[in-house]
Structure formats: structure tokens, C-alpha cells
Amino acid sequence: DPAMAGTSRDPVFAESANTAGATGTSAAFRPNSSPAAQLALMIAIGIGLHNFAEGLAIGNSAAAGELSLAVLLVVGFALAQRHRRVRDRRAAGGQR
């Protein structure tokens, strides 16, 4: 039921809230966590580090006064992201 999504009555939300435990740690950090939870955590960390590095490159070039390089990096990263999304949609059977 969409009205229950994200509430304590939502079974998925309730299950994820119950797996946090008393310490508040995510299920993915537990030694006996499922391989799917560990994979999801590793993917999230990888994406975060990737985006952080891109942000550092853009910020450093802008701070150094190289605004043309910062703009070039933004455009390049945006085009690369667009390419990855199109590729992933095609691999999943989508049209674009």
C-alpha cells in the first residue's frame, strides 16, 4: 500500500528498522549479514567515493581559478554519467 510506505506499518520499513538493533548499526555491518546486504553496502561506498573524487577535482580546479577546467570537468562527468545510464538501460532491455 503506497500510503504505508516509509511508515512503521510498512512491512519493509518495519523489517529494516528491526534489523538495526539496539546499537543502531545497519544489518550490512554485522558479521553474519546477508551477501546481498554486504554487496549493497560496498556498491554504496564505491559510488560515494567516486562522486567525492569527482567533486574534489571540480572544486580544486575552481578554487585554483581554473574555471574553464571546472566547467570542462562538469560537462565531461555529466556526459560520462549520461553514457552509463543509456548503457545500463539498454542492458536492462530498455529503449534509450
Side-chain angles (χ1 to χ4, degrees), residues 2-96:
M4 291 186 347
T7 68
S8 59
R9 295 181 306 187
D10 180 5
V12 174
F13 178 81
E15 178 61 28
S16 64
N18 289 337
T19 59
T23 62
T25 59
S26 169
F29 288 114
R30 295 188 182 158
N32 59 352
S33 63
S34 72
Q38 291 175 351
L39 178 62
L41 178 64
M42 294 303 291
I43 290 172
I45 290 171
I47 291 171
L49 290 174
H50 175 87
N51 290 341
F52 181 71
E54 287 180 354
L56 284 177
I58 294 167
N60 191 37
S61 61
E66 297 289 336
L67 294 181
S68 59
L69 177 58
V71 170
L72 177 68
L73 289 171
V74 168
V75 170
F77 291 146
L79 289 174
Q81 182 64 28
R82 173 73 177 145
H83 169 71
R84 285 190 293 268
R85 287 184 184 198
V86 168
R87 180 198 61 209
D88 292 347
R89 281 192 195 129
R90 286 184 181 156
Q95 294 296 324
R96 298 198 286 157

